Amino acid sequence: MYTQALNDRPAAAAVEDADQAERFQARIDAEDRIEANDWMPEAYRRTLVRQISQHAHSEIIGQLPEGNWITRAPSLRRKAALLAKVQDECGHGLYLYAAAETLDASREELMDQLMEGRARYSSIFNYPATTWADIGAIGWLVDGAAIMNQIPLCRCSYGPYARAMIRVCKEESFHQRQGFEIMMTLCNGTVAQKAMAQDALNRWWWPCLMMFGPPDGASQHSDQSTRWKIKRFSNDALRQKFVDATVPQAEYLGLTLPDPALAFDAATGHWTHGEIDWDEFKQVLAGNGPCNRDRIEARRAAHENGEWVRAAAAAFAAKQSQRQAA
Ligand code: BYC
């Protein structure tokens, strides 16, 4: 009798799991939000940890190209805005690590993965910001692309991630505007300033299109993430929205997009663009972009230099809990 019960257990557990998985999918289909303490399939948890941690790392590494220009901003007003923007990116990283913690992924473990080069972050941050116009182009295009991708994430099925995104998106819209305003000022400035803006656009345009990820046919996670309502639009659909929104902005600035194949398709109402260099994207993901090594080294150095801050915070917390106990 006892042996029989033991033999039956795995089958019973499998039926229970299948029931739970079915109820879970029904909740997702009904647009219910999944919260940290709710039952979820292990693969759903892992997918979210993967995406949220990659997103958090992108925010943290994303501070580097722009942070590099804080001391060289051309006026006090520009410096204050850039400083605020870079601090916002750091805050976004922190909200996102906190969201990953609700899924039992510890911040230390995620940080180790990043510093050991085992974690992904957005390909875009492996390109250098070589002139002041790059700060305009990053705000306008990189943050513009980020907003396009992140607005739908405000409706992601996982509550803590969706709520973090609402605040992130509000801040990103300030970032996008500060970038566009820099571009507008340069485009209304001297011939050399306008040329600098054009050069920045030429270098950032294609990497920004790559930010949305591989084409739909090659996107290995899209189908499952769409079923789970983590993703609401495909990579190509968001890329297209971004192109459609950005072409008129470039025209307004009097700049030319570096794509001779770009054309308006009156039948679909969309701008069609030329072929993206997916080999370059693969190289950047493989660690061979222009700045991959520098970025990881800078992150490691920041971690080591911050050791005394972590030690001081831990000592203060220990003192406080001793006082409370006393
Ligand atoms: N870069 O099956 P797919 C910001 C990877 S920060 C690197 O389509 P998925 C900002 C992908 O991870 C903006 N890797 O994947 C901060 C996967 O690899 P793994 C960051 C990429 O997850 C500071 C593989 O390729 N935003 O705005 O369905 C200053 C196959 O792809 C990239 C987010 O992180 C890439 N571009 O879709 C300024 C948003 N693209 O994991 C601005 C959240 C793809 O199997 N993330 N890969 O090793 C997402 O929405 C999705 O994860 C993606 C990819 C659309 C990026």
Side-chain angles (χ1 to χ4, degrees):
M1 201 47 189
Y2 178 69
T3 320
Q4 182 61 45
L6 268 186
N7 287 344
D8 287 348
R9 270 183 67 203
V15 170
E16 197 186 337
D17 271 6
D19 277 358
Q20 274 180 316
E22 211 172 288
R23 280 201 298 274
F24 176 83
Q25 189 59 48
R27 285 187 63 191
I28 300 262
D29 294 343
E31 296 289 334
D32 216 359
R33 277 276 158 81
I34 308 300
E35 296 298 336
N37 293 329
D38 294 347
W39 185 89
M40 61 184 79
E42 180 54 21
Y44 176 81
R45 193 189 70 81
R46 276 202 310 269
T47 296
L48 281 168
V49 170
R50 178 183 64 78
Q51 178 165 326
I52 297 172
S53 62
Q54 289 174 358
H55 194 165
H57 297 328
S58 306
E59 302 282 357
I60 296 302
I61 297 289
Q63 295 175 91
L64 296 171
E66 290 176 292
N68 195 24
W69 277 92
I70 292 171
T71 54
R72 291 176 286 166
S75 69
L76 180 60
R77 178 170 166 266
R78 293 291 184 209
K79 187 185 286 231
L82 184 58
L83 195 58
K85 177 188 192 294
V86 172
Q87 280 176 335
D88 282 354
E89 309 298 1
C90 181
H92 298 173
L94 298 181
Y95 310 152
L96 287 161
Y97 287 124
E101 278 175 323
T102 67
L103 294 158
D104 289 337
S106 85
R107 191 178 301 188
E108 288 75 14
E109 166 62 14
L110 297 179
M111 211 26 101
D112 284 349
Q113 288 173 3
L114 176 62
M115 286 185 300
E116 287 162 16
R118 290 187 285 127
R120 285 205 195 290
Y121 56 86
S122 182
S123 49
I124 194 76
F125 301 116
N126 292 307
Y127 292 84
T130 51
T131 70
W132 172 252
D134 288 28
I135 300 306
I138 293 175
W140 171 35
L141 300 172
V142 176
D143 289 272
I147 294 173
M148 215 42 108
N149 164 278
Q150 286 170 186
I151 295 270
L153 289 174
C154 298
R155 294 189 294 122
C156 158
S157 58
Y158 187 57
Y161 189 27
R163 288 190 290 274
M165 278 302 114
I166 292 171
R167 179 149 174 195
V168 168
C169 284
K170 284 189 183 146
E171 293 174 353
E172 295 293 11
S173 98
F174 149 65
H175 300 170
Q176 199 267 355
R177 274 151 192 265
Q178 72 90 40
F180 192 74
E181 206 224 339
I182 291 174
M183 293 303 271
M184 227 156 51
T185 307
L186 291 172
C187 290
N188 290 325
T190 64
V191 171
Q193 284 170 326
K194 187 158 183 190
M196 199 198 270
Q198 180 65 58
D199 170 62
L201 172 58
N202 293 349
R203 285 179 290 105
W204 287 92
W205 175 249
W206 290 105
C208 280
L209 296 192
M210 295 174 196
M211 276 180 80
F212 295 92
D216 291 353
S219 166
Q220 72 223 51
H221 303 297
S222 274
D223 287 350
Q224 184 57 70
S225 290
T226 304
R227 267 196 296 279
W228 278 330
K229 298 196 177 169
I230 295 171
K231 269 177 131 161
R232 298 275 178 171
F233 295 98
S234 76
N235 297 356
D236 285 334
L238 288 174
R239 193 170 7 251
Q240 185 63 56
K241 271 176 187 258
F242 173 73
V243 172
D244 290 342
T246 311
V247 172
Q249 294 169 359
E251 271 172 12
Y252 181 80
L253 291 171
L255 296 176
T256 313
L257 289 163
D259 179 0
L262 192 73
F264 187 68
D265 179 344
T268 61
H270 293 299
W271 286 89
T272 51
H273 58 81
E275 196 51 41
I276 295 171
D277 183 353
W278 292 114
D279 284 338
E280 177 180 323
F281 177 70
K282 282 184 199 143
Q283 281 300 320
V284 174
L285 259 61
N288 303 320
C291 299
N292 293 58
R293 285 172 194 80
D294 291 352
R295 300 298 185 229
I296 296 298
E297 258 169 45
R299 178 84 282 283
R300 281 199 199 119
H303 191 74
E304 280 161 24
N305 294 336
E307 173 58 34
W308 69 272
V309 179
R310 291 191 296 281
F316 180 68
K319 227 187 228 174
Q320 269 199 325
S321 71
Q322 260 173 14
R323 268 202 208 118
Q324 267 168 7

